[in-house]
Amino acid sequence: MQRDVVVLVEHRTHEVESITYQMLAAGRELANGLGGQLLALVLGHELSRITEGLRDKGMDKILVVDEPALSRNGAEAQSYVITEVVRRTEPRLVLVGYSLVGMELAPAIAAKLGAPAMTNCIGIELREGSLVVTRPLFDGTMHAQILLDDSAPVVVALQKGMTPSIPAAAKTAAVEPLHVDLQNISFRGRLLEIIEEPASGIDISKAEVIVSVGRGIGDKEKLSIIQALADALGGVMACSRPVVDVGWLTRDRQVGSSGKTVAPKVYIACGISGASQHLSGMSESRRIIAINKDANAPIFQVAHYGIVGDLFAIVPALTAAAKKQ
Ligand code: FAD
């Protein structure tokens, strides 16, 4: 039975993305449980800095495919190469982060391999030797646990923030270069340019006052009332993850396990329910004020002051009061 775990290493501008260290931690635990090896797979061109930086991260081997064509051809070439490597190494599990890269690659690899793809997973574990993944359903209001049969490989894309990063290990991983011939393959798409998402230029982790907004705001246009309160208090606007996911604010404003950790003097949570992933990023704030129309919202369990009511009435009233000070 196949026992190895392959983790895809995500990197950008010669730096490993933090999500990869979390996937390696999950992969290490699963490989130990399966009695197999943890293999990190690095793809791209001019990879020596990436590879060297990974060697003390507790994996058994680093597989490296260094081909100039990989930096020109995006997901199409990458999924081709990963599939080739998986065919050669025959792992039980291919683990990728559920990032923009993983979202695109996981189904493509699975389709090429004829393997199941489990995306958007929030947990993965071994139960009596079998892999069990957890996925959110219906916008996170329910979770499904799925037992995967022992056919291999399976491709799993795991969300960021589900495990800590892998710590440094005493042993140094061996590096194994692999060659995958891309010369005679004609890829249909060619990567022209990577355009960075514009940053807000604000570092929420340094702010003393944060007015944070959640899905309860309901509409991008209405963010102006949150910004007005932040301005009146000399603070900054931050948010929960759904606000970023729908594109209303940039990711550098997100508080939580997959965003930033903040500990301001005052944190005002407006229309935020208080999911554990949000709380882990702000519960060390000195004073937490929560505004929520649901008296049972979990945010009230960490709030020092709670206001049960409609944020569209309360936030402008607070702004007006702050302006009078
Ligand atoms: P909801 O849970 O939908 O809550 C909206 C709240 O608004 C409700 O409590 C509602 O009562 C209230 N409301 C609605 N209308 C009004 C009104 N008019 N006035 C007052 N209150 C109103 N989340 C994060 O925030 N940060 C993270 O870093 C993060 N990382 C995650 C990582 C993983 C791996 C996973 C699985 C999830 C992560 N999440 C994160 C998502 C998290 O689980 C929650 O889904 C999210 O925090 C919910 O955001 P929310 O509170 O804005 O929305």
Side-chain angles (χ1 to χ4, degrees):
M1 189 170 76
Q2 288 94 331
R3 298 177 187 282
D4 294 347
V5 175
V6 169
V7 169
L8 177 68
V9 173
E10 256 188 67
H11 56 91
R12 211 158 52 123
T13 56
H14 303 288
E15 300 287 343
V16 175
E17 296 279 359
S18 61
I19 195 167
T20 292
Y21 295 118
Q22 298 179 6
M23 296 309 119
L24 287 170
R28 180 70 275 167
E29 206 175 314
L30 292 165
N32 289 349
L34 289 163
Q37 293 196 328
L38 174 62
L39 312 172
L41 173 57
V42 191
L43 313 179
H45 186 44
E46 295 174 344
L47 299 166
S48 51
R49 193 163 132 199
I50 303 278
T51 314
E52 276 314 304
L54 281 170
R55 291 191 73 186
D56 70 343
K57 292 291 181 280
M59 74 268 322
D60 298 288
K61 212 186 277 179
I62 304 175
L63 309 173
V64 181
V65 183
D66 190 330
E67 299 284 344
L70 281 167
S71 49
R72 291 194 301 272
N73 304 92
E76 208 185 346
Q78 290 165 8
S79 61
Y80 176 85
V81 169
I82 297 165
T83 308
E84 283 302 302
V85 173
V86 170
R87 287 198 177 114
R88 289 183 208 173
T89 50
E90 299 188 335
R92 173 77 168 279
L93 168 69
V94 180
L95 191 59
V96 304
Y98 191 59
S99 58
L100 289 176
V101 172
M103 275 177 214
E104 195 175 8
L105 285 178
I109 305 162
K112 286 187 168 70
L113 291 166
M118 293 285 144
T119 57
N120 194 18
C121 294
I122 56 170
I124 180 165
E125 60 185 293
L126 277 173
R127 273 190 216 161
E128 293 168 11
S130 294
L131 287 165
V132 176
V133 294
T134 306
R135 305 175 74 190
L137 295 176
F138 304 113
D139 215 12
T141 50
M142 295 170 82
H143 291 165
Q145 293 204 318
I146 300 154
L147 174 78
L148 299 165
D149 70 18
D150 292 343
S151 55
V154 290
V155 183
V156 172
L158 184 64
Q159 285 202 23
K160 190 176 180 185
M162 300 318 303
T163 62
S165 298
I166 196 162
K171 105 176 170 189
T172 306
V175 177
E176 184 177 323
L178 296 175
H179 176 67
V180 177
D181 189 5
L182 296 174
Q183 295 300 321
N184 302 316
I185 317 275
S186 60
F187 295 109
R188 283 168 292 183
R190 194 158 59 86
L191 185 67
L192 293 180
E193 191 186 356
I194 293 177
I195 301 156
E196 295 280 339
E197 182 183 352
S200 66
I202 286 167
D203 184 356
I204 58 167
S205 62
K206 295 206 169 78
E208 296 202 334
V209 176
I210 292 179
V211 184
S212 197
V213 61
R215 188 160 23 202
I217 192 75
D219 183 353
K220 184 180 183 184
E221 300 305 314
K222 308 221 172 97
L223 288 174
S224 56
I225 66 162
I226 306 295
Q227 185 65 60
L229 179 57
D231 290 345
L233 296 171
V236 300
M237 177 165 62
C239 63
S240 65
R241 176 158 150 175
V243 175
V244 175
D245 288 344
V246 294
W248 294 345
L249 287 175
T250 48
R251 197 157 296 280
D252 54 358
R253 301 244 189 192
Q254 181 188 320
V255 173
S257 58
S258 54
K260 290 197 174 166
T261 301
V262 297
K265 286 184 181 160
V266 180
Y267 188 89
I268 307 179
C270 311
I272 293 176
S273 59
S276 59
Q277 295 88 359
H278 188 81
L279 299 185
S280 69
M282 48 63 77
S283 57
E284 296 300 311
S285 305
R286 203 165 322 152
R287 279 287 169 266
I288 299 171
I289 301 164
I291 305 165
N292 198 301
K293 65 180 182 186
D294 175 6
N296 296 315
I299 190 81
F300 288 126
Q301 286 163 21
V302 298
H304 301 97
Y305 303 99
I307 307 171
V308 179
D310 184 355
L311 73 90
F312 296 107
I314 294 157
V315 171
L318 289 177
T319 307
K323 281 183 175 165
K324 280 192 196 144
Q325 295 297 309

